[in-house]
Amino acid sequence: MKFSRSLFLPIAAIALTLSSASFADNQRRIDIDSKVVTQHKAKINNERFSYTVATGTQPVWDDEGDAIATLQYTYYTRDKVDDKTKRPLLISFNGGPGSASVWMHLAYTGPRVLKIDDEGYPIQPYGVKDNPYSVLDVADIVYVNPVNTGYSRVVEDKDGNLLPKDKQKELFFGVNADIKYLAEWLNTFVSRNERWRSPKFLIGESYGTTRVSGLAHELQNSQWMYINGVVLVSPTDIGIKRDGPVKAANRLPYFAATAWYHKALSADLQAKDLDELLPEVEQFTVNELIPALAKGGFIAPDEKRRIIKKMAKYAGLSETFVSQNNLDIPTQFFWKELLRERGQMVGRLDSRYLGIDKRDAGESPDYWAELTSWLHSFTPAINYYLREELNYKTDIKYNLFGNVHPWDRSGNNTGENLRLAMAQNPYLNVMVQAGYFDGATNYFDAKYTMWQLDPSGKMQDRLSFKGYRSGHMMYLRHADLESSNNDLREFIKQSLPKDGESAKY
């Protein structure tokens, strides 16, 4: 059978149109509003129970009620709970900014965690295993991915257009914008899942501590949602200044912990346990080093020599190196210098991790040994887990680190807002968790921030600190996975008011 040219062309045009339409319908985009529910069993804290996981997306609405973005979440609920009004809800964020919620989800509080060795290093085959220490026994948990992290994305309007870049930054990518839209989103989430009467806790890691500090106030004052507890894991400064002599001096306890771990201290210090050594270094830092640094170039020569000698001993460095840096040693110099003679450098976020550089000379490491190790483990695990265990399938790329920059850091009053939220709410307690070997948000800075959070001291009994023998993600070390979850479990329990206990001073 022969086809005329005039007949063939329309058929070809129709085929092309159908192909284009099919392509348009199958562009790589995330569903704006979706949910996949799966059922599971666990043995946690020596107790067996079943639980449900809802993995999905929920819109971010603008003031006109239109969806402008969608956030992907994973929501864990324990089954057969008769009274959800007494069942806590733990709302979990990671940091960056621009980091997905994967870290605490698959390595700390969730019922499934990475397959890694007991010190946190990757092993193959990649994947996940049961977490017998998860706090799911005492609290339901939702892990939230802010815009451009995980599967969360800005979405197109009805005309197929995305918000302009400057508008996206205004709405999503800044300290206060981030807090505002997430508080609105949480209002919708709590309403949809009927959790208004449940006790609520916020937990954030790294920049996530800035986020949850601000959210505690925003939720209470803009959404009228009151919080029982805030957990700051490896906190940033949350807007509380630590400049000048304080900034320089506060690094020394971290230097001492790292040097102790790598057996780089003198025999007498190395013989001490870390719990004995660190209080000694902290006392020196507060009582001697900060006052010495405050004197700058006018410090007396004898005092300067004495401070240099003690600093060098505590940090495992030479007196010459300390003197050449005028008692102010940048952390990147320390990571390179401590083990230079061994031909190794130490990690930034966790200085237990070692790396090798092209040259032993230089002022800073070539790469972050700990982060490359973590990405080695986390990336395959989260992609496998969401798709194959939780059955949430999409062609959208899971962003462990998403594009959220430039981030607007102006107007960061999150620490003061957390203090105000605590003052407004007698139920609200705060716990700080930090690893001794974290060089990015060091543990002594975390202590200092806690000390400065409430200058009045009137809420001191509602603030607590827990330290661990690991780094930024202290839970990657198996012993600390257990202890940090136990500390979190006790904090949740102790922050619940007794029956009939009123929120009053």
Side-chain angles (χ1 to χ4, degrees):
M1 182 176 181
K2 294 182 179 179
F3 295 96
S4 69
R5 182 173 177 80
S6 61
L7 177 63
F8 178 76
L9 283 175
I11 293 173
I14 291 169
L16 181 59
T17 301
L18 290 173
S19 176
S20 298
S22 176
F23 177 78
D25 290 342
N26 289 284
Q27 288 182 0
R28 190 167 72 168
R29 56 165 63 90
I30 194 75
D31 290 336
I32 293 175
D33 210 338
S34 65
K35 184 191 293 187
V36 175
V37 177
T38 53
Q39 306 295 327
H40 307 266
K41 295 183 184 298
K43 182 181 179 182
I44 295 172
N45 202 23
N46 294 316
E47 185 180 3
R48 295 185 185 276
F49 57 88
S50 61
Y51 64 94
T52 299
V53 185
T55 309
T57 53
Q58 178 189 288
V60 176
W61 313 105
D62 65 12
D63 292 339
E64 285 71 45
D66 295 320
I68 54 175
T70 189
L71 302 191
Q72 181 251 325
Y73 66 88
T74 310
Y75 177 40
Y76 293 81
T77 53
R78 179 169 175 168
D79 296 341
K80 299 179 181 178
V81 173
D82 295 329
D83 186 0
K84 284 200 171 183
T85 67
K86 295 183 178 179
R87 175 77 174 165
L89 174 63
L90 180 64
I91 303 165
S92 180
F93 292 97
N94 273 98
S99 175
S101 67
V102 57
W103 313 100
M104 290 197 292
H105 184 179
L106 274 196
Y108 184 12
T109 53
R112 300 280 277 163
V113 289
L114 296 174
K115 284 184 179 177
I116 49 179
D117 73 8
D118 285 351
E119 291 299 312
Y121 292 91
I123 55 175
Q124 290 184 330
Y126 304 116
V128 294
K129 60 186 178 182
D130 290 337
N131 178 10
Y133 313 117
S134 167
V135 293
L136 186 57
D137 61 322
V138 297
D140 296 335
I141 313 168
V142 58
Y143 301 92
V144 185
N145 287 313
V147 171
N148 280 2
T149 73
Y151 294 140
S152 300
R153 298 291 189 274
V154 177
V155 299
E156 298 171 352
D157 63 19
K158 58 182 181 297
D159 298 319
N161 300 315
L162 292 173
L163 290 169
K165 293 291 186 182
D166 59 342
K167 191 64 175 177
Q168 291 184 30
K169 178 181 178 181
E170 177 188 335
L171 292 174
F172 306 123
F173 305 137
V175 174
N176 294 304
D178 178 73
I179 290 164
K180 182 178 179 180
Y181 89 82
L182 287 172
E184 288 281 347
W185 187 92
L186 285 171
N187 185 309
T188 303
F189 181 86
V190 168
S191 295
R192 283 188 176 189
N193 292 280
E194 301 178 346
R195 300 307 297 263
W196 272 99
R197 294 190 294 167
S198 301
K200 298 170 192 68
F201 293 79
L202 297 170
I203 183 170
E205 180 179 73
S206 196
Y207 182 83
T209 61
T210 300
R211 179 173 283 138
V212 299
S213 295
L215 275 171
H217 181 269
E218 183 74 8
L219 287 170
Q220 290 184 183
N221 288 274
S222 295
Q223 306 299 327
W224 311 287
M225 184 186 298
Y226 283 71
I227 305 301
N228 289 71
V230 174
V231 183
L232 308 178
V233 180
S234 304
T236 59
D237 59 21
I238 61 172
I240 295 173
K241 300 301 182 184
R242 302 184 301 239
D243 296 329
V246 169
K247 182 178 180 179
N250 277 8
R251 302 179 190 126
L252 184 61
Y254 155 70
F255 291 165
T258 299
W260 177 89
Y261 179 83
H262 290 292
K263 297 180 171 54
L265 296 177
S266 59
D268 58 325
L269 294 182
Q270 203 65 56
K272 297 182 179 183
D273 185 75
L274 194 61
D275 289 338
E276 181 185 4
L277 173 65
L278 291 183
E280 177 182 328
V281 182
E282 291 176 13
Q283 288 297 311
F284 169 74
T285 300
V286 171
N287 297 328
E288 299 182 58
L289 183 54
I290 291 176
L293 285 165
K295 297 172 185 176
F298 286 78
I299 186 173
D302 287 349
E303 182 183 5
K304 186 174 183 179
R305 282 192 293 271
R306 181 179 63 80
I307 295 294
I308 288 172
K309 188 178 184 66
K310 293 193 77 170
M311 274 192 76
K313 183 171 183 176
Y314 284 140
L317 302 170
S318 72
E319 293 179 25
T320 299
F321 183 81
V322 175
S323 177
Q324 288 172 340
N325 281 280
N326 300 319
L327 314 183
D328 182 357
I329 303 165
T331 46
Q332 68 267 25
F333 285 23
F334 175 79
W335 300 326
K336 186 75 174 181
E337 178 70 16
L338 180 67
L339 303 181
R340 194 188 298 270
E341 292 185 1
R342 301 184 197 177
Q344 295 172 318
M345 53 83 166
V346 301
R348 171 180 176 259
L349 293 157
D350 191 330
S351 52
R352 297 175 303 141
Y353 289 71
L354 298 175
I356 52 175
D357 285 343
K358 184 176 182 179
R359 295 182 178 87
D360 291 339
E363 295 180 345
S364 61
D366 294 346
Y367 65 100
W368 296 348
E370 77 297 333
L371 187 58
T372 56
S373 175
W374 297 343
L375 292 173
H376 200 152
S377 304
F378 278 93
T379 308
I382 189 62
N383 282 281
Y384 154 76
Y385 180 61
L386 289 175
R387 293 183 66 87
E388 299 185 42
E389 290 200 12
L390 301 187
N391 202 32
Y392 193 84
K393 300 183 187 298
T394 175
D395 286 338
I396 290 288
K397 176 184 175 183
Y398 189 93
N399 286 338
L400 271 81
F401 300 106
N403 181 15
V404 302
H405 298 287
W407 190 265
D408 182 2
R409 296 180 181 272
S410 63
N412 182 359
N413 297 311
T414 53
E416 168 57 19
N417 285 343
L418 177 57
R419 183 207 64 79
L420 184 56
M422 291 181 70
Q424 293 170 340
N425 179 4
Y427 282 156
L428 180 52
N429 296 297
V430 173
M431 179 172 70
V432 177
Q433 295 182 299
Y436 296 129
F437 308 126
D438 178 5
T441 58
N442 78 68
Y443 89 91
F444 198 61
D445 272 346
K447 273 191 175 181
Y448 179 88
T449 295
M450 183 184 73
W451 294 339
Q452 302 302 317
L453 187 63
D454 172 34
S456 76
K458 294 175 183 176
M459 297 188 288
Q460 189 177 130
D461 61 335
R462 292 158 60 194
L463 294 162
S464 58
F465 176 88
K466 300 291 183 182
Y468 307 92
R469 298 189 181 206
S470 42
H472 196 70
M473 299 184 198
M474 67 281 175
Y475 42 79
L476 291 177
R477 178 173 174 261
H478 186 268
D480 290 322
L481 174 66
E482 180 177 7
S483 59
S484 59
N485 270 292
N486 284 338
D487 289 336
L488 178 55
R489 181 179 288 106
E490 288 307 307
F491 174 75
I492 291 171
K493 289 179 178 179
Q494 291 172 8
S495 297
L496 296 176
K498 297 179 177 64
D499 288 343
E501 181 182 350
S502 301
K504 65 179 181 180
Y505 290 112

